[in-house]
Amino acid sequence: VIPFANSDDMLFTLRGRSHAMRLSPSQGDEGTLVEIDVASANTGPGRWRCRFGDIVVRGRVVSTNRVACPAPAGHGTVKVTVAGPLRDDAFGTSDAAFTFVAAPRVLSLSPIMGWTAGGYVVDVRLSQNVQSCMCRFDDLSVEGTVSDDTVRCRAPPLKEGTTSVRVTCGTGVHELRVRRPAEAFSTQPARGSERGGSLISIKGRNFPNVASLHCVFGGVSVPARWESDGRVTCAAPSRGYPGSVDVTLVSDGLPAHTTTATYTYTQHSVVDSITPGRSSHLGGELVSVRGAFFDASAKLRCAFGGLQVPASLINSTLLKCAAPARPPGLVSLQILVDGLVA
C-alpha cells in the first residue's frame, strides 16, 4: 500500500500509456524532488516509475494523478515520462521537460547573529533563483519561503553559541552566532529637541559588543557606541516636529528581541531677548531670557562665554540665571536645553 500525502489509504497505478502534462520544479540538480501531473492515470494496486531522459527512478504518490520522483544525476534538458508498475506497462507521452542545473551556492546569511529565543527572520541568498527550499539550523529543519534567489526562514529556538545554517536547495554552510536576547528598557534622557543631536543612553541587558551597532528612533537609524552589556549611547536624529517614538537597538542587522524604550521629541526652544545686556564682573546679577517653548522637564543652563550656570524656569517663555564672576569684557551668552544650544 502506498499512502497519499494526506495519509488516506489510497493506491495509485497507471494503466495503458500515461501522459506527463507538467512538473514542478522544472529544473534542479540530483536529488531534487519533482512532482509530475499525469493524464490517463487511475487509482488501483501497484507501483510506478519515472524516466528522466533514459534514466529510470522510483518515486512516491503525492495525490490522485500526481507522482513525485527524485531527479537522478544528469545534464541538459530531458523529457520526463511515467510508466505503470507492470513489466509491460510502457512509458507514455510527455509535454514535461526537466533541466539539470548545478546546485545553487549559499552566498550570504542575514542577519549573522541571532537570539536564543528564536522567532526572527533569517534570509539566505543563493547564487541563482530557486523554486522551493527549506533551512536547516544544525539538525532542525524549518520551512522556507522563496523569493527569486533568497530563501527566508524563521529561526527556531537555539542554544547559545554557533549554529550551522544550510538550505536543502543549495550547497555551502554559514554560521549564525547565537546570543542571549538583547532587551531595551529605557532611554536617558527620555526627551529632547525635535532638531535632534541630544546624546542618549539606551539602557537594557545583553547588548552585544559588535562593530555594526545602531539605535533606531521611530525607524530612523543612527550609529551607536557600546558602553556595557546594559548601556549604549547614540545621538538622537532630527525629527522636525514634536512627538514620541519607539526606540530599539539593532546589532549586526538584528533588532533587539524586546523593547519598551521610547523617546519624546519636544518643540525646540527659541530665544528672543536677553536683559540686561551687561553686568558687573563680580557676578550675581539676574539675567532674564525671554523666548518660547522652554520645557520644565528639560535641563536648562546659561553659558556665559562657556562658563555654565543653572537656569531657573519662570514659565514657558521666561527663564532667569545669575551671571557668574568673570574678568571684564564681552562674552557670548547661550541657553542650553538638555545640552543643546537653543
Side-chain angles (χ1 to χ4, degrees):
V1 174
I2 305 174
F4 279 80
N6 61 6
S7 297
D8 294 334
D9 288 334
M10 300 180 67
L11 300 175
F12 182 82
T13 190
L14 301 175
R15 293 303 183 205
R17 293 176 62 84
S18 64
H19 179 71
M21 298 183 292
R22 53 189 168 270
L23 52 79
S24 177
S26 60
Q27 64 179 27
D29 62 335
E30 180 181 2
T32 300
L33 189 64
V34 181
E35 294 189 1
I36 308 162
D37 290 337
V38 294
S40 304
N42 301 296
T43 55
R47 299 180 61 122
W48 43 267
R49 298 158 288 162
C50 300
R51 184 169 66 186
F52 291 74
D54 296 326
I55 304 174
V56 178
V57 295
R58 294 278 185 175
R60 65 178 177 85
V61 173
V62 177
S63 62
T64 303
N65 298 338
R66 176 175 292 184
V67 298
C69 298
H75 63 275
T77 300
V78 297
K79 285 286 187 180
V80 179
T81 55
V82 178
L86 304 180
R87 181 176 299 179
D88 58 352
D89 284 340
F91 284 95
T93 56
S94 177
D95 292 327
F98 182 80
T99 301
F100 290 95
V101 295
R105 291 178 294 106
V106 175
L107 300 179
S108 64
L109 182 71
S110 179
I112 60 175
M113 185 183 72
W115 311 130
T116 54
Y120 49 91
V121 167
V122 175
D123 286 337
V124 183
R125 190 168 68 87
L126 302 171
S127 58
Q128 63 193 49
N129 292 356
V130 294
Q131 294 179 322
S132 61
C133 206
M134 295 180 67
C135 296
R136 290 186 63 84
F137 295 83
D138 282 341
D139 296 328
L140 298 174
S141 296
V142 177
E143 290 290 340
T145 57
V146 175
S147 176
D148 298 330
D149 63 351
T150 301
V151 182
R152 172 165 290 183
C153 299
R154 193 165 295 277
L158 299 167
K159 294 181 179 179
E160 189 173 0
T162 301
T163 295
S164 296
V165 180
R166 299 176 173 84
V167 289
T168 56
C169 57
T171 61
V173 181
H174 278 248
E175 291 186 340
L176 182 71
R177 300 195 307 273
V178 183
R179 303 174 183 266
R180 289 173 294 174
E183 300 174 271
F185 298 149
S186 62
T187 56
Q188 181 63 41
R191 55 197 297 129
S193 169
E194 61 189 314
R195 294 186 181 180
S198 299
L199 184 63
I200 306 300
S201 293
I202 299 180
K203 297 184 178 181
R205 65 183 175 190
N206 300 329
F207 293 162
N209 185 7
V210 295
S212 179
L213 197 63
H214 291 80
C215 301
V216 180
F217 292 75
V220 180
S221 177
V222 293
R225 176 186 175 90
W226 186 86
E227 306 291 350
S228 70
D229 66 355
R231 185 171 74 94
V232 299
T233 55
C234 49
S238 173
R239 188 168 189 251
Y241 54 93
S244 296
V245 296
D246 292 328
V247 180
T248 191
L249 182 71
V250 175
S251 315
D252 281 342
L254 181 67
H257 182 60
T258 60
T259 180
T260 55
T262 60
Y263 184 74
T264 299
Y265 285 93
T266 59
Q267 193 101 36
H268 187 74
S269 300
V270 177
V271 176
D272 293 329
S273 65
I274 298 172
T275 56
R278 61 196 306 157
S279 70
S280 168
H281 71 282
L282 298 176
E285 184 168 351
L286 283 179
V287 177
S288 295
V289 181
R290 297 186 183 276
F293 311 122
F294 296 144
D295 188 351
S297 64
K299 183 179 180 180
L300 302 171
R301 299 182 72 83
C302 297
F304 292 80
L307 182 59
Q308 295 185 21
V309 296
S312 298
L313 180 70
I314 307 304
N315 55 49
S316 64
T317 62
L318 175 64
L319 57 84
K320 294 186 177 184
C321 49
R326 287 188 61 95
L330 184 67
V331 297
S332 64
L333 174 56
Q334 295 177 316
I335 308 304
L336 303 179
V337 181
D338 286 331
L340 299 179
V341 178

